Amino acid sequence: MSDPVSDPREQQRRRDLARLETFVARARRIESHSLASDLDKLRQLSTGPMTFNQRDGKSYLRYDFPPEEQVESAAARVRPLLLTDVSVLAVLKAIDSLTAGSSEREGIREWTSKVRKMWKRRTAETSDGTSGFSATWESTTTGESGQTDHAELARAWIYGDVVHHDVDHLERTKGWDVGDRFRAAVPLIAYMMVESLNILDAVRELEKHGELTLAPRAWTDPVVADPAYEREVTLHVAPPGTPAPADLTQPLDDAWARVVAPAAPAGETTRAEQNELDDPA
């Protein structure tokens, strides 16, 4: 009898599941971001909202975006979705493959095709001219000039200002400042968040209806760190120069003395006792 693990189809299925489980963990991390707490506002941000005002005979263009620091942290959470192994395009391909035998495969294919087309257009490195904006500049002192578009500016903010300080991206957008790059990036980051959450919800539904079966840890493993942390520990000290224990699974020798916390004065409640009082369960 052949080993099913050696079957190329089974190997591919396992790779697809692993990719999808990795995406679920990433998307859950995106879901926990503060910008995702108001999905209606996030969807609005993905459209690049702006207003035009007139006063004193002049016209003004205005953007009202979240603080750059908040968008920067969101960018860090969505950026892996642009990478090859865990990109949304790879995830959609995995979904197609894993649901190939489903009675709902035609509807699933139609959905993944639409998402794939939109993702490619919105995350392209250069604009296709059907959306967004293009911009030109010219120096009145040096005569230098340049041209770019929203896609190039957004990438320059992500890779030049935020994660890598990529000088090539920054050079290609010379003539525009960090504010210009940031304003171009906000709709892209918001769109990537919205789309990843849409896919996450779709995966939930597919699993709910038996079309997919992911490892439970994909849904239960912690994906964000708790800033408050406390655990019970045992503390030992030794004179300076004492070698560190080679094996912490074995009892410590006599050089190491255990530090015992002093008992609470009579009538006072220790923190552990107070925790038990607060949560008797």
Side-chain angles (χ1 to χ4, degrees):
M1 181 180 294
S2 61
D3 181 2
V5 178
S6 65
D7 185 338
R9 290 173 297 182
E10 175 60 20
Q11 293 176 355
Q12 183 60 51
R13 188 188 73 84
R14 294 190 178 199
R15 285 193 294 269
D16 289 336
L17 277 175
R19 179 170 288 121
L20 194 52
E21 288 164 0
T22 299
F23 166 79
V24 165
R26 171 58 48 178
R28 288 175 54 222
R29 184 167 170 82
I30 294 169
E31 187 178 40
S32 69
H33 193 274
S34 58
L35 282 180
S37 62
D38 188 335
L39 287 179
D40 289 337
K41 186 174 182 179
L42 187 61
R43 293 188 185 98
Q44 185 180 23
L45 281 177
S46 73
T47 67
M50 64 185 77
T51 58
F52 291 94
N53 300 302
Q54 288 189 330
R55 61 178 182 272
D56 302 327
K58 296 180 180 180
S59 298
Y60 297 89
L61 172 65
R62 181 181 179 88
Y63 294 89
D64 287 294
F65 286 155
E68 184 187 25
E69 184 179 16
Q70 188 181 23
V71 179
E72 185 173 348
S73 66
R77 295 195 182 190
V78 300
R79 181 183 167 273
L81 301 182
L82 294 172
L83 303 178
T84 302
D85 289 340
V86 293
S87 74
V88 161
L89 298 179
V91 168
L92 294 173
K93 184 177 180 180
I95 292 174
D96 283 343
S97 177
L98 291 168
T99 59
S102 169
S103 60
E104 303 295 330
R105 63 182 178 277
E106 293 304 321
I108 295 172
R109 296 292 186 284
E110 182 179 355
W111 166 71
T112 56
S113 178
K114 289 180 179 178
V115 175
R116 185 179 294 111
K117 183 178 180 179
M118 178 61 73
W119 183 269
K120 287 182 177 180
R121 184 169 71 83
R122 289 295 303 265
T123 64
E125 294 194 22
T126 56
S127 172
D128 62 4
T130 62
S131 63
F133 63 85
S134 60
T136 59
W137 69 276
E138 182 176 358
S139 172
T140 56
T141 56
T142 66
E144 286 185 289
S145 62
Q147 182 172 352
T148 189
D149 58 42
H150 69 282
E152 193 167 55
L153 284 170
R155 291 269 179 160
W157 183 78
I158 295 172
Y159 293 106
D161 296 300
V162 175
V163 290
H164 296 314
H165 197 73
D166 188 311
V167 294
D168 290 335
H169 276 93
L170 294 175
E171 180 64 24
R172 287 199 294 270
T173 58
K174 183 177 66 174
W176 289 269
D177 64 20
V178 63
D180 297 318
R181 296 189 289 270
F182 168 70
R183 287 185 288 275
V186 170
L188 173 61
I189 301 304
Y191 163 73
M192 293 173 65
M193 293 182 72
V194 169
E195 199 69 274
S196 64
L197 298 182
N198 287 341
I199 297 172
L200 179 64
D201 286 341
V203 172
R204 285 188 174 112
E205 286 299 307
L206 288 171
E207 187 166 53
K208 177 181 176 180
H209 291 90
E211 304 291 351
L212 294 171
T213 303
L214 276 62
R217 68 177 184 277
W219 302 105
T220 59
D221 280 358
V223 292
V224 292
D226 187 344
Y229 177 78
E230 182 180 64
R231 64 177 297 179
E232 183 179 356
V233 298
T234 301
L235 179 64
H236 292 78
V237 296
T242 302
D247 185 356
L248 292 179
T249 64
Q250 300 299 316
L252 298 175
D253 59 35
D254 294 339
W256 293 87
R258 182 174 179 179
V259 178
V260 180
E268 292 189 11
T269 303
T270 66
R271 181 181 302 185
E273 290 171 339
Q274 184 61 52
N275 288 340
E276 292 181 0
L277 291 174
D278 293 339
D279 186 9

